[in-house]
Amino acid sequence: LRVAGAGAHRGAATPIQPTVRKASLLERGAPRLQPSPSSPVMAELMAASTLDGLKYIAELDDEAVCDTMVSTVFEVLLRKAEAGQPAVDAASPAIGAAAAKQLYASLCALFLEASKADESAENVATILEENGVATARAAKISASFNVNKEQIRWTLRCTGISRANVVGCSWRLDYHVRSSATGVEHVPVYFVSLKTKEKSGVVDSVDFTCSLEQMQDLLATVQDATKQVDRMLSSADQEK
């Protein structure tokens, strides 16, 4: 933001740099795919160890144990349960305690990442099948994911700390010349409009008014934040 000089009562749209950190694949929107025979983007997003854990689903011969594991994961993600230890304990006799824990963690990561990327049930089923899960069981698990996906996305929106990026700014200066209560004033009033962009690509604006003192405080805050980011970037470059 920049306060206009003498005779300049309107500021041209001034671009503001978005958040400096590098956007992930999810934030850049790359994983938002249409249903397809395979989902290479999801495979890229998921760590190899996470994918390895999914193979243990095929080793659960008891369908009830598998159902309990999947339903418990959804309950934990939706904060309907505090921990998934009962499901891990139920699966341990069949595949071992370590494998059961890895399977639980893998399902949590899969459902979270797929929900963030708004993946289709078909792509989730493909990921499972590529890791050795039978088609019928993969379809059943992906159907459960499809039922719970929007609730997971809502929970993430409510608990996340991410905010829309500020991608532009415009402002204008008016004068409050006279008040019916106090008479002549000649008080400057700034009208500010911040253009924002959500991770989903939705563009919106935040409009507000402020006094000269508030405008100066806002400008100082932005300048302090810019200096802090510059210091962090310089420190990161030195470490390299």
Side-chain angles (χ1 to χ4, degrees):
L1 298 175
R2 183 178 58 190
V3 179
H9 287 181
R10 184 177 182 86
T14 304
I16 293 180
Q17 294 295 329
T19 305
V20 174
R21 67 180 180 81
K22 293 183 178 179
S24 67
L25 287 173
L26 288 177
E27 293 169 343
R28 291 198 293 265
R32 298 189 178 277
L33 307 176
Q34 296 296 325
S36 60
S38 62
S39 182
V41 178
M42 278 297 295
E44 180 183 351
L45 287 171
M46 305 290 286
S49 59
T50 302
L51 292 176
D52 288 342
L54 298 177
K55 66 186 179 183
Y56 294 115
I57 300 177
E59 300 181 20
L60 291 175
D61 296 328
D62 191 336
E63 194 69 26
V65 174
C66 181
D67 292 344
T68 298
M69 174 67 76
V70 173
S71 62
T72 300
V73 169
F74 284 123
E75 288 177 357
V76 171
L77 295 180
L78 295 174
R79 299 193 170 187
K80 296 179 180 179
E82 294 184 358
Q85 192 60 44
V88 172
D89 293 340
S92 294
I95 59 177
K101 291 179 180 179
Q102 189 176 2
L103 171 57
Y104 172 77
S106 297
L107 287 173
C108 286
L110 173 64
F111 296 150
L112 275 176
E113 295 297 337
S115 296
K116 289 179 184 177
D118 199 14
E119 284 287 349
S120 65
E122 288 83 355
N123 282 343
V124 171
T126 299
I127 289 290
L128 293 170
E129 291 177 20
E130 289 174 350
N131 285 273
V133 181
T135 301
R137 180 172 285 184
K140 185 177 182 180
I141 294 173
S142 63
S144 297
F145 164 77
N146 198 47
V147 170
N148 291 279
K149 180 177 71 172
E150 289 305 320
Q151 295 183 60
I152 295 175
R153 288 172 61 81
W154 175 254
T155 301
L156 291 173
R157 283 194 293 268
C158 292
T159 58
I161 59 175
S162 60
R163 294 290 185 270
N165 290 330
V166 178
V167 296
C169 173
S170 61
W171 59 271
R172 64 184 174 87
L173 172 61
D174 284 353
Y175 280 98
H176 188 189
V177 178
R178 181 179 294 274
S179 169
S180 60
T182 60
V184 178
E185 291 185 343
H186 294 294
V187 177
V189 178
Y190 290 89
F191 292 81
V192 182
S193 178
L194 301 179
K195 184 179 179 182
T196 63
K197 186 175 183 180
E198 300 282 352
K199 292 180 180 179
S200 61
V202 177
V203 177
D204 201 354
S205 65
V206 178
D207 304 318
F208 58 92
T209 61
C210 58
S211 64
L212 175 60
E213 292 77 13
Q214 292 171 330
M215 190 68 161
Q216 291 172 335
D217 289 342
L218 177 59
L219 178 60
T221 300
V222 172
Q223 290 174 336
D224 289 343
T226 302
K227 291 179 182 178
Q228 180 64 26
V229 170
D230 290 340
R231 283 194 292 267
M232 292 174 63
L233 292 177
S234 298
S235 176
D237 291 338
Q238 292 175 1
E239 291 178 358
K240 292 180 181 180

